[in-house]
Amino acid sequence: MGEPRRKSVAIIGTGLSGLVTAYLLHHDRQKRFDVKLFEKGEELSFCAESLRVQKPEDSSSAQSVWADVPMRAFAGGFYQNLIRLYDYLGVPYQSQDFIFTFTQLDSRRISDCNDVSSAAPSMTHASNFHRIPPIPRTADIFFWLLEALYALFFNLWFTLCVYYVAPYEETSSSQSETFRDYIKRTYLPRYYVDNYLLPLMASVSTCSHEELLDFPASDVLEYKRRTHRQPHYVVKNGVRAAQDRLAQDLNVLLKACVQNVVPGSNGIALHYIDAAGEHKVENFDLVVLAVSPDVVSAVFEPLRETLRRIPTTTVQTVAHNDMSTLPRVSAEFRNKNLGATDQMIHFRSSKGTTEAIHEQEGRSLIVTTNPITPIKPSRIMRSAKFTRVLRSPESRRIVNEIFADRATSGCKKPTVQWHNGDDGVFIAGGWCWDGMVLLEGCVVSAMRVASSLDVEIPWMSR
Ligand SMILES: Cc1cc2nc3c(=O)[nH]c(=O)nc-3n(C[C@H](O)[C@H](O)[C@H](O)COP(=O)(O)OP(=O)(O)OC[C@H]3O[C@@H](n4cnc5c(N)ncnc54)[C@H](O)[C@@H]3O)c2cc1C
C-alpha cells in the first residue's frame, strides 16, 4: 500500500501568523501537508517595510543593520510563545530599555513644526524604572517633581487596580466591561488618563484614545499585569532573521491577491488574481486565512456578516530622519543622560491621538507612528499604512465563539454558527485570540491551527 496522499494547504498572508502556520505544517514529522503561501504584496510581509540603516559612526560593530518598521518589540510575561519560537529558531534578541517623554500639544500649533518640537515634555519616564528619568534643564524642578509625584501616585493606583480590581466579564445580560467603564469605576482621574495612561497604552495598540477606551478592559489589564516589571526585547538586527528562518524552503506565490474562498465537494476553491493580473482558481484540501478580519469577511462568505462587526483602522508609520520633529530636549538627553543602549520614544498627544516618535540607531532613523507633527517630505525614507484590528466587547465575544473549544465550552448556544476549521477553513492572526492584537496572538493562533491538525509544535516539546 502506498503512502497516504498529502493534503494540500493554502495559507493566505505572510505576516507572522501565516509564516508560523506554514512553518509548522511544512515541518510536520509525518510530512502530511503540501503547503503553498499566497501573498498579495511584492515580498513576504512580516518585514516588508523594514529598512537597512547605517549604524552611527562611533559604533564598533557592523556598518549597517536592519531596522524593524513597524516596531516588533516584545516583553517577558506576555509573549511566552513568541519567545519560545524565537529560542527554538535561534533568533537572537536583546533586552531594550526605553526613555519615554510625554507632551500634550496645543492643537493650534500643529501646522508649525517648529512650535511642535519646542513644546516641552511634561514628563519623562524610564521603562521599568531602569534609571532615574532625565529632567530637561529648562524645567522648573519644583513643578516637575510635583507632576512626577502625581504621575507616580496614579501609576501605582492603576497597578493596584490591575491586580486587585477585576474587570466585569460578559454575562447573559451584559457585555464585558470596556476600558472606559473600568477607568470610571476605579476613579482614575481624567488628567492622568489623558496625559499618561492613554498615550502609553495607545502606543501599544497604535490606535486613537477613543478606540482604546472601547477595548475590553480585560485586554489592557492583562497586558499590563503580564508585562509588569518584565524586560522589553527586540530582535537583534531586526525580525528579518525570524522571517528568513520561518520561510526557508516554503512555496510562496507573491503578488497573488485572493478574491474568494469557496468550500465545495472537490475541496476548497481558491480564486485569486496572479502577478500578471489573470484570474486563477486552484483547489485545496485545507485553507488558512492568516489575514485581518476585514479581508476574511471579503473573501469568505460564511463569515461575511459576522466579521464586519470587528472594528479595524488604518495606521501610518513614517521612517525618516527629520530631526526637527524631535523635541528639543532629545539632543540634550542623548548627549548627557542616556545609557548607550537606551532608545527614546516621544509621545505627543493632541485631540485624543498620540503620535509615537521612536529614535533608533543614534537618530539615523526615526520612526513616527500615527504622525501629528509635520515631517519634511525630503526626509522621508519610507511611509507605510497598516490595517490595525481593534477590539470591543462585541468583537471579543465573536472571536471567542469562533475559536472556542466546543467540546468543553458548555451548553451556551453560540451566536456565531461558523467555527474555526469548519469546511477545512482555518483562521489565524494577531487578532485570533482573547487579548491585545500583537505578535503573541499570531503565534498562539498558528499553534492552534497546527494542534487542530494534530501537528506537533516543536518548541513546546523541548
Ligand atoms: C504600527 C504598528 C506597530 C506595531 N508594533 C508592535 C510591536 O511592537 N509588538 C507587537 O507584538 N505587535 C506590534 N504590532 C502588531 C503586530 O505587528 C500585528 O499584530 C501582526 O503583525 C499581525 O500579523 P498577522 O500575521 O496577523 O497579519 P498581517 O501582518 O497583517 O499579515 C496579513 C498579510 O496578508 C496579506 N493579504 C491581505 N489580504 C490578502 C489577499 N486578499 N490575498 C493575499 N494576501 C493578502 C497582507 O498583504 C499581509 O501581508 C504593531 C502593529 C502596527 C501596525
Side-chain angles (χ1 to χ4, degrees):
M1 223 165 69
E3 289 202 352
R5 187 179 75 83
R6 289 168 141 218
K7 286 194 167 169
S8 57
V9 187
I11 298 179
I12 326 302
T14 59
L16 185 63
S17 54
L19 290 177
V20 177
T21 313
Y23 180 91
L24 286 169
L25 302 194
H26 179 72
H27 289 88
D28 172 47
R29 278 201 193 196
Q30 298 170 54
K31 303 200 182 326
R32 289 168 294 171
F33 305 101
D34 272 328
V35 177
K36 184 169 178 179
L37 274 154
F38 291 78
E39 169 56 55
K40 72 173 182 183
E42 294 185 357
E43 49 186 302
L44 299 179
S45 82
F46 187 35
C47 54
E49 301 299 332
S50 297
L51 282 173
R52 203 175 245 297
V53 288
Q54 289 300 312
K55 287 201 101 171
E57 275 166 19
D58 54 355
S59 134
S60 51
S61 49
Q63 292 301 298
S64 66
V65 283
W66 280 103
D68 291 330
V69 181
M71 202 175 188
R72 304 294 191 186
F74 53 106
F78 188 80
Y79 289 88
Q80 289 157 359
N81 293 290
L82 181 74
I83 290 173
R84 281 192 195 118
L85 167 72
Y86 283 167
D87 287 344
Y88 174 77
L89 294 175
V91 171
Y93 54 90
Q94 64 194 24
S95 71
Q96 177 65 62
D97 290 327
F98 297 102
I99 299 289
F100 304 115
T101 71
F102 296 83
T103 308
Q104 277 292 339
L105 288 179
D106 174 342
S107 53
R108 280 166 306 172
R109 282 178 164 155
I110 288 173
S111 56
D112 186 335
C113 178
N114 206 30
D115 277 348
V116 173
S117 58
S118 65
S122 60
M123 191 43 55
T124 51
H125 170 60
S127 55
N128 285 327
F129 298 95
H130 71 275
R131 67 193 316 283
I132 296 174
I135 305 175
R137 244 177 319 181
T138 49
D140 179 316
I141 297 291
F142 176 74
F143 284 110
W144 185 273
L145 288 179
L146 213 58
E147 180 83 11
L149 279 176
Y150 173 89
L152 264 177
F153 177 81
F154 283 106
N155 180 279
L156 181 65
W157 177 273
F158 178 56
T159 307
L160 288 174
C161 292
V162 165
Y163 282 98
Y164 298 109
V165 185
Y168 295 144
E169 288 297 339
E170 187 184 69
T171 65
S172 53
S173 57
S174 64
Q175 295 196 320
S176 45
E177 188 175 26
T178 60
F179 191 39
R180 183 192 312 279
D181 289 342
Y182 184 86
I183 284 171
K184 269 193 216 140
R185 185 158 67 89
T186 50
Y187 300 107
L188 281 161
R190 189 73 201 248
Y191 181 83
Y192 169 74
V193 169
D194 287 347
N195 287 275
Y196 299 110
L197 185 57
L198 291 179
L200 194 60
M201 292 312 302
S203 83
V204 175
S205 50
T206 63
C207 62
S208 74
H209 297 186
E210 280 299 309
E211 287 163 341
L212 176 61
L213 287 167
D214 287 336
F215 276 35
S218 56
D219 279 20
V220 184
L221 303 191
E222 189 65 3
Y223 178 83
K224 168 78 181 145
R225 196 174 60 74
R226 286 168 61 183
T227 56
H228 185 63
R229 313 275 311 156
Q230 294 284 338
H232 297 276
Y233 298 107
V234 289
V235 174
K236 278 186 190 165
N237 205 4
V239 292
R240 184 161 289 263
Q243 176 174 288
D244 289 348
R245 273 165 229 191
L246 288 167
Q248 207 174 357
D249 302 330
L250 291 179
N251 177 10
V252 187
L253 194 63
L254 296 171
K255 297 199 232 169
C257 185
V258 172
Q259 307 280 295
N260 218 347
V261 173
V262 191
S265 50
N266 288 333
I268 305 162
L270 193 87
H271 298 249
Y272 64 96
I273 307 287
D274 72 5
E278 283 183 24
H279 179 258
K280 296 268 169 71
V281 186
E282 276 182 52
N283 279 336
F284 291 89
D285 297 311
L286 302 169
V287 169
V288 182
L289 291 159
V291 289
S292 50
D294 51 331
V295 178
V296 179
S297 159
V299 303
F300 187 52
E301 209 278 328
L303 283 175
R304 186 145 297 159
E305 291 310 319
T306 306
L307 292 193
R308 273 195 191 140
R309 306 209 298 271
I310 296 193
T312 58
T313 188
T314 304
V315 178
Q316 189 185 12
T317 60
V318 184
H320 61 97
N321 57 9
D322 183 356
M323 302 245 223
S324 69
T325 63
L326 299 175
R328 298 244 161 99
V329 293
S330 165
E332 179 196 325
F333 290 165
R334 169 75 43 209
N335 294 339
K336 296 238 167 75
N337 290 296
L338 295 195
T341 57
D342 283 337
Q343 290 188 353
M344 297 199 74
I345 301 186
H346 308 285
F347 300 126
R348 280 205 189 107
S349 307
S350 172
K351 294 187 186 161
T353 302
T354 294
E355 70 173 352
I357 307 175
H358 181 191
E359 297 181 27
Q360 299 177 53
E361 301 307 329
R363 293 196 287 171
S364 57
L365 175 68
I366 301 167
V367 180
T368 303
T369 303
N370 279 330
I372 296 176
T373 310
I375 302 165
K376 290 188 189 104
S378 60
R379 293 290 187 172
I380 294 177
M381 302 170 194
R382 185 168 276 196
S383 172
K385 289 195 170 155
F386 302 89
T387 300
R388 195 71 162 114
V389 185
L390 302 170
R391 295 268 291 169
S392 69
E394 185 188 24
S395 79
R396 180 184 188 209
R397 180 184 50 72
I398 291 170
V399 168
N400 287 351
E401 285 191 9
I402 289 175
F403 297 106
D405 180 348
R406 294 224 164 142
T408 58
S409 60
C411 52
K412 196 178 153 207
K413 199 166 179 290
T415 56
V416 181
Q417 296 314 315
W418 191 88
H419 188 257
N420 195 37
D422 283 358
D423 310 316
V425 178
F426 294 84
I427 312 180
W431 59 280
C432 298
W433 77 322
D434 189 15
M436 296 279 266
V437 181
L438 295 167
L439 297 175
E440 179 71 1
C442 297
V443 183
V444 168
S445 59
M447 288 166 58
R448 191 196 290 120
V449 175
S451 298
S452 313
L453 297 170
D454 200 22
V455 171
E456 189 192 351
I457 295 155
W459 51 89
M460 296 304 279
S461 52
R462 281 177 15 130

Tab-separated table of all heavy atoms in Angstrom, residues 12-18 38-41 45 70-73 79 206 256-258 290-291 295 299 315 317 369 386 388 429-430 437-440 442, ligand 1:
chain	number	residue	atom	x	y	z
A	12	ILE	N	-3.094	31.983	3.313
A	12	ILE	CA	-3.192	33.328	2.725
A	12	ILE	C	-2.599	34.319	3.717
A	12	ILE	O	-3.093	34.440	4.844
A	12	ILE	CB	-4.668	33.752	2.450
A	12	ILE	CG1	-5.547	32.571	2.054
A	12	ILE	CG2	-4.737	34.907	1.461
A	12	ILE	CD1	-5.121	31.824	0.864
A	13	GLY	N	-1.569	35.043	3.289
A	13	GLY	CA	-0.953	36.052	4.155
A	13	GLY	C	0.403	35.596	4.656
A	13	GLY	O	0.552	34.449	5.091
A	14	THR	N	1.384	36.487	4.582
A	14	THR	CA	2.744	36.132	5.024
A	14	THR	C	3.222	37.056	6.141
A	14	THR	O	4.395	37.380	6.240
A	14	THR	CB	3.740	36.181	3.846
A	14	THR	OG1	3.725	37.520	3.318
A	14	THR	CG2	3.405	35.191	2.767
A	15	GLY	N	2.262	37.521	6.979
A	15	GLY	CA	2.648	38.139	8.244
A	15	GLY	C	3.132	37.025	9.163
A	15	GLY	O	3.243	35.861	8.755
A	16	LEU	N	3.381	37.353	10.426
A	16	LEU	CA	3.930	36.338	11.328
A	16	LEU	C	2.985	35.138	11.454
A	16	LEU	O	3.437	33.992	11.492
A	16	LEU	CB	4.213	36.945	12.712
A	16	LEU	CG	4.892	35.963	13.664
A	16	LEU	CD1	6.269	35.547	13.156
A	16	LEU	CD2	5.006	36.539	15.074
A	17	SER	N	1.675	35.370	11.477
A	17	SER	CA	0.768	34.235	11.686
A	17	SER	C	0.794	33.279	10.494
A	17	SER	O	0.819	32.057	10.677
A	17	SER	CB	-0.650	34.718	11.966
A	17	SER	OG	-1.070	35.582	10.958
A	18	GLY	N	0.823	33.811	9.272
A	18	GLY	CA	0.885	32.943	8.090
A	18	GLY	C	2.205	32.180	8.058
A	18	GLY	O	2.236	30.974	7.770
A	38	PHE	N	0.137	32.293	-0.159
A	38	PHE	CA	-0.299	33.335	-1.104
A	38	PHE	C	-0.146	34.693	-0.431
A	38	PHE	O	-0.631	34.888	0.692
A	38	PHE	CB	-1.772	33.146	-1.496
A	38	PHE	CG	-2.018	31.939	-2.351
A	38	PHE	CD1	-2.068	30.672	-1.789
A	38	PHE	CD2	-2.189	32.074	-3.718
A	38	PHE	CE1	-2.290	29.556	-2.573
A	38	PHE	CE2	-2.411	30.960	-4.520
A	38	PHE	CZ	-2.455	29.697	-3.939
A	39	GLU	N	0.507	35.617	-1.113
A	39	GLU	CA	0.703	36.964	-0.550
A	39	GLU	C	0.426	37.984	-1.643
A	39	GLU	O	0.986	37.903	-2.738
A	39	GLU	CB	2.145	37.093	-0.028
A	39	GLU	CG	2.588	38.496	0.340
A	39	GLU	CD	1.680	39.179	1.375
A	39	GLU	OE1	1.470	38.606	2.445
A	39	GLU	OE2	1.166	40.284	1.069
A	40	LYS	N	-0.413	38.962	-1.322
A	40	LYS	CA	-0.742	39.938	-2.368
A	40	LYS	C	0.375	40.958	-2.563
A	40	LYS	O	0.470	41.591	-3.615
A	40	LYS	CB	-2.063	40.641	-2.050
A	40	LYS	CG	-2.006	41.623	-0.923
A	40	LYS	CD	-3.303	42.390	-0.808
A	40	LYS	CE	-3.178	43.410	0.306
A	40	LYS	NZ	-4.353	44.156	0.581
A	41	GLY	N	1.237	41.116	-1.552
A	41	GLY	CA	2.336	42.074	-1.662
A	41	GLY	C	3.475	41.537	-2.528
A	41	GLY	O	3.453	40.390	-2.982
A	45	SER	N	5.496	39.620	4.057
A	45	SER	CA	5.083	40.888	4.675
A	45	SER	C	5.603	41.118	6.078
A	45	SER	O	5.543	42.244	6.556
A	45	SER	CB	3.562	41.014	4.662
A	45	SER	OG	3.006	40.302	5.726
A	70	PRO	N	6.996	48.322	11.025
A	70	PRO	CA	6.915	48.993	12.311
A	70	PRO	C	7.686	48.212	13.368
A	70	PRO	O	8.279	47.170	13.082
A	70	PRO	CB	5.411	48.966	12.604
A	70	PRO	CG	4.926	47.723	11.933
A	70	PRO	CD	5.774	47.567	10.703
A	71	MET	N	7.598	48.722	14.566
A	71	MET	CA	8.301	48.113	15.687
A	71	MET	C	7.826	46.671	15.903
A	71	MET	O	6.649	46.380	15.709
A	71	MET	CB	7.935	48.929	16.922
A	71	MET	CG	8.897	48.823	18.019
A	71	MET	SD	8.330	49.969	19.269
A	71	MET	CE	9.682	49.887	20.358
A	72	ARG	N	8.717	45.800	16.270
A	72	ARG	CA	8.322	44.415	16.568
A	72	ARG	C	8.842	44.041	17.950
A	72	ARG	O	9.496	43.006	18.131
A	72	ARG	CB	8.897	43.460	15.519
A	72	ARG	CG	8.547	43.771	14.076
A	72	ARG	CD	7.083	43.620	13.803
A	72	ARG	NE	6.792	43.666	12.381
A	72	ARG	CZ	5.567	43.678	11.898
A	72	ARG	NH1	4.533	43.688	12.693
A	72	ARG	NH2	5.361	43.707	10.603
A	73	ALA	N	8.596	44.922	18.935
A	73	ALA	CA	9.109	44.694	20.283
A	73	ALA	C	8.231	43.680	21.010
A	73	ALA	O	7.076	43.458	20.647
A	73	ALA	CB	9.116	46.015	21.043
A	79	TYR	N	4.633	37.496	26.185
A	79	TYR	CA	4.985	36.895	24.879
A	79	TYR	C	5.641	35.526	25.046
A	79	TYR	O	6.655	35.251	24.419
A	79	TYR	CB	5.941	37.823	24.140
A	79	TYR	CG	5.323	39.097	23.613
A	79	TYR	CD1	5.251	40.243	24.386
A	79	TYR	CD2	4.828	39.168	22.323
A	79	TYR	CE1	4.718	41.425	23.889
A	79	TYR	CE2	4.294	40.349	21.811
A	79	TYR	CZ	4.237	41.464	22.603
A	79	TYR	OH	3.701	42.631	22.098
A	206	THR	N	-1.481	51.157	18.994
A	206	THR	CA	-1.386	52.078	17.839
A	206	THR	C	-2.753	52.514	17.303
A	206	THR	O	-3.025	52.423	16.109
A	206	THR	CB	-0.513	51.503	16.688
A	206	THR	OG1	-1.108	50.323	16.183
A	206	THR	CG2	0.900	51.240	17.112
A	256	ALA	N	-0.097	37.681	-5.415
A	256	ALA	CA	-1.290	36.865	-5.682
A	256	ALA	C	-2.365	37.299	-4.698
A	256	ALA	O	-2.249	37.039	-3.504
A	256	ALA	CB	-0.963	35.386	-5.492
A	257	CYS	N	-3.380	37.975	-5.211
A	257	CYS	CA	-4.411	38.546	-4.330
A	257	CYS	C	-5.641	37.634	-4.324
A	257	CYS	O	-6.319	37.474	-5.344
A	257	CYS	CB	-4.773	39.948	-4.811
A	257	CYS	SG	-5.922	40.743	-3.697
A	258	VAL	N	-5.889	37.013	-3.179
A	258	VAL	CA	-7.005	36.068	-3.072
A	258	VAL	C	-8.328	36.838	-3.058
A	258	VAL	O	-8.479	37.825	-2.341
A	258	VAL	CB	-6.845	35.189	-1.810
A	258	VAL	CG1	-8.082	34.344	-1.571
A	258	VAL	CG2	-5.595	34.330	-1.953
A	290	ALA	N	-4.741	33.764	7.044
A	290	ALA	CA	-3.911	34.466	8.039
A	290	ALA	C	-3.902	35.949	7.679
A	290	ALA	O	-2.861	36.537	7.385
A	290	ALA	CB	-2.508	33.878	8.062
A	291	VAL	N	-5.076	36.535	7.680
A	291	VAL	CA	-5.282	37.924	7.244
A	291	VAL	C	-6.205	38.617	8.255
A	291	VAL	O	-6.789	37.969	9.121
A	291	VAL	CB	-5.926	37.980	5.827
A	291	VAL	CG1	-4.945	37.560	4.763
A	291	VAL	CG2	-7.179	37.114	5.770
A	295	VAL	N	-10.503	41.327	5.649
A	295	VAL	CA	-10.179	40.541	4.445
A	295	VAL	C	-10.908	39.195	4.500
A	295	VAL	O	-11.480	38.746	3.499
A	295	VAL	CB	-8.647	40.340	4.300
A	295	VAL	CG1	-8.332	39.478	3.081
A	295	VAL	CG2	-7.940	41.684	4.213
A	299	VAL	N	-13.523	37.760	1.585
A	299	VAL	CA	-13.258	36.610	0.694
A	299	VAL	C	-13.971	35.320	1.109
A	299	VAL	O	-13.985	34.348	0.361
A	299	VAL	CB	-11.735	36.326	0.566
A	299	VAL	CG1	-10.989	37.540	0.054
A	299	VAL	CG2	-11.127	35.792	1.860
A	315	VAL	N	-3.300	52.483	10.245
A	315	VAL	CA	-2.216	53.138	10.980
A	315	VAL	C	-1.109	53.471	9.999
A	315	VAL	O	-0.737	52.638	9.171
A	315	VAL	CB	-1.638	52.176	12.044
A	315	VAL	CG1	-0.483	52.826	12.780
A	315	VAL	CG2	-2.696	51.755	13.011
A	317	THR	N	2.884	54.554	9.453
A	317	THR	CA	4.215	54.737	10.046
A	317	THR	C	5.079	55.429	9.002
A	317	THR	O	4.999	55.118	7.806
A	317	THR	CB	4.903	53.417	10.434
A	317	THR	OG1	5.065	52.629	9.279
A	317	THR	CG2	4.153	52.647	11.475
A	369	THR	N	4.898	56.880	14.346
A	369	THR	CA	3.643	56.144	14.154
A	369	THR	C	2.492	57.092	14.447
A	369	THR	O	2.543	57.822	15.440
A	369	THR	CB	3.589	54.928	15.110
A	369	THR	OG1	4.736	54.126	14.860
A	369	THR	CG2	2.344	54.092	14.881
A	386	PHE	N	-0.870	50.367	7.604
A	386	PHE	CA	-1.185	49.016	8.048
A	386	PHE	C	-2.625	48.964	8.556
A	386	PHE	O	-3.103	49.931	9.145
A	386	PHE	CB	-0.283	48.606	9.227
A	386	PHE	CG	1.178	48.658	8.912
A	386	PHE	CD1	1.894	49.834	9.108
A	386	PHE	CD2	1.843	47.553	8.406
A	386	PHE	CE1	3.243	49.908	8.807
A	386	PHE	CE2	3.196	47.614	8.109
A	386	PHE	CZ	3.898	48.791	8.305
A	388	ARG	N	-5.027	47.867	11.293
A	388	ARG	CA	-4.906	47.521	12.710
A	388	ARG	C	-6.256	47.010	13.169
A	388	ARG	O	-7.282	47.683	12.977
A	388	ARG	CB	-4.530	48.797	13.471
A	388	ARG	CG	-4.024	48.545	14.852
A	388	ARG	CD	-2.658	47.908	14.782
A	388	ARG	NE	-1.945	48.003	16.030
A	388	ARG	CZ	-1.629	46.963	16.776
A	388	ARG	NH1	-1.992	45.749	16.435
A	388	ARG	NH2	-0.909	47.130	17.873
A	429	GLY	N	-4.096	34.815	13.066
A	429	GLY	CA	-3.764	36.248	13.009
A	429	GLY	C	-3.568	36.806	14.404
A	429	GLY	O	-4.001	36.199	15.392
A	430	GLY	N	-2.956	37.961	14.462
A	430	GLY	CA	-2.734	38.617	15.740
A	430	GLY	C	-4.033	38.849	16.499
A	430	GLY	O	-4.040	38.958	17.726
A	437	VAL	N	-4.088	42.830	20.240
A	437	VAL	CA	-3.715	42.321	18.915
A	437	VAL	C	-2.233	42.602	18.687
A	437	VAL	O	-1.838	43.676	18.238
A	437	VAL	CB	-4.603	42.970	17.836
A	437	VAL	CG1	-4.242	42.437	16.461
A	437	VAL	CG2	-6.074	42.707	18.148
A	438	LEU	N	-1.425	41.618	19.034
A	438	LEU	CA	0.029	41.765	18.986
A	438	LEU	C	0.639	40.456	18.465
A	438	LEU	O	-0.081	39.510	18.143
A	438	LEU	CB	0.563	42.085	20.397
A	438	LEU	CG	0.101	43.444	20.972
A	438	LEU	CD1	0.411	43.539	22.458
A	438	LEU	CD2	0.741	44.609	20.220
A	439	LEU	N	1.958	40.400	18.420
A	439	LEU	CA	2.617	39.245	17.798
A	439	LEU	C	2.327	37.932	18.532
A	439	LEU	O	2.308	36.866	17.919
A	439	LEU	CB	4.132	39.478	17.741
A	439	LEU	CG	4.559	40.670	16.868
A	439	LEU	CD1	6.056	40.901	16.977
A	439	LEU	CD2	4.172	40.440	15.408
A	440	GLU	N	2.091	37.996	19.843
A	440	GLU	CA	1.807	36.757	20.583
A	440	GLU	C	0.552	36.073	20.026
A	440	GLU	O	0.514	34.846	19.912
A	440	GLU	CB	1.656	37.081	22.077
A	440	GLU	CG	1.336	35.882	22.967
A	440	GLU	CD	2.491	34.901	23.143
A	440	GLU	OE1	3.581	35.124	22.591
A	440	GLU	OE2	2.279	33.878	23.839
A	442	CYS	N	-0.427	36.077	17.024
A	442	CYS	CA	-0.070	35.411	15.753
A	442	CYS	C	0.434	33.994	16.036
A	442	CYS	O	0.033	33.028	15.379
A	442	CYS	CB	1.055	36.176	15.043
A	442	CYS	SG	0.645	37.839	14.543
B	1	LIG	C1	2.490	50.418	13.623
B	1	LIG	C2	2.410	49.079	14.283
B	1	LIG	C3	3.293	48.768	15.305
B	1	LIG	C4	3.217	47.537	15.941
B	1	LIG	N1	4.108	47.236	16.931
B	1	LIG	C5	4.061	46.016	17.516
B	1	LIG	C6	5.018	45.646	18.495
B	1	LIG	O1	5.948	46.396	18.807
B	1	LIG	N2	4.891	44.424	19.083
B	1	LIG	C7	3.891	43.561	18.765
B	1	LIG	O2	3.820	42.479	19.342
B	1	LIG	N3	2.991	43.863	17.812
B	1	LIG	C8	3.058	45.065	17.182
B	1	LIG	N4	2.141	45.394	16.228
B	1	LIG	C9	1.082	44.415	15.906
B	1	LIG	C10	1.612	43.302	15.033
B	1	LIG	O3	2.547	43.824	14.129
B	1	LIG	C11	0.448	42.649	14.288
B	1	LIG	O4	-0.470	42.180	15.238
B	1	LIG	C12	0.925	41.468	13.479
B	1	LIG	O5	1.977	41.847	12.624
B	1	LIG	C13	-0.223	40.915	12.658
B	1	LIG	O6	0.286	39.858	11.884
B	1	LIG	P1	-0.683	38.934	11.056
B	1	LIG	O7	0.121	37.814	10.508
B	1	LIG	O8	-1.888	38.591	11.849
B	1	LIG	O9	-1.253	39.858	9.872
B	1	LIG	P2	-0.537	40.797	8.833
B	1	LIG	O10	0.849	41.096	9.239
B	1	LIG	O11	-1.486	41.903	8.612
B	1	LIG	O12	-0.422	39.897	7.530
B	1	LIG	C14	-1.508	39.703	6.663
B	1	LIG	C15	-0.944	39.541	5.273
B	1	LIG	O13	-1.973	39.139	4.394
B	1	LIG	C16	-1.776	39.784	3.151
B	1	LIG	N5	-3.077	39.837	2.492
B	1	LIG	C17	-4.143	40.587	2.844
B	1	LIG	N6	-5.159	40.353	2.002
B	1	LIG	C18	-4.733	39.442	1.105
B	1	LIG	C19	-5.353	38.796	-0.014
B	1	LIG	N7	-6.617	39.057	-0.369
B	1	LIG	N8	-4.614	37.912	-0.717
B	1	LIG	C20	-3.320	37.637	-0.372
B	1	LIG	N9	-2.704	38.214	0.683
B	1	LIG	C21	-3.406	39.099	1.417
B	1	LIG	C22	-1.270	41.163	3.535
B	1	LIG	O14	-0.533	41.727	2.460
B	1	LIG	C23	-0.367	40.821	4.704
B	1	LIG	O15	0.899	40.520	4.249
B	1	LIG	C24	2.218	46.602	15.556
B	1	LIG	C25	1.347	46.910	14.502
B	1	LIG	C26	1.446	48.133	13.862
B	1	LIG	C27	0.511	48.431	12.732
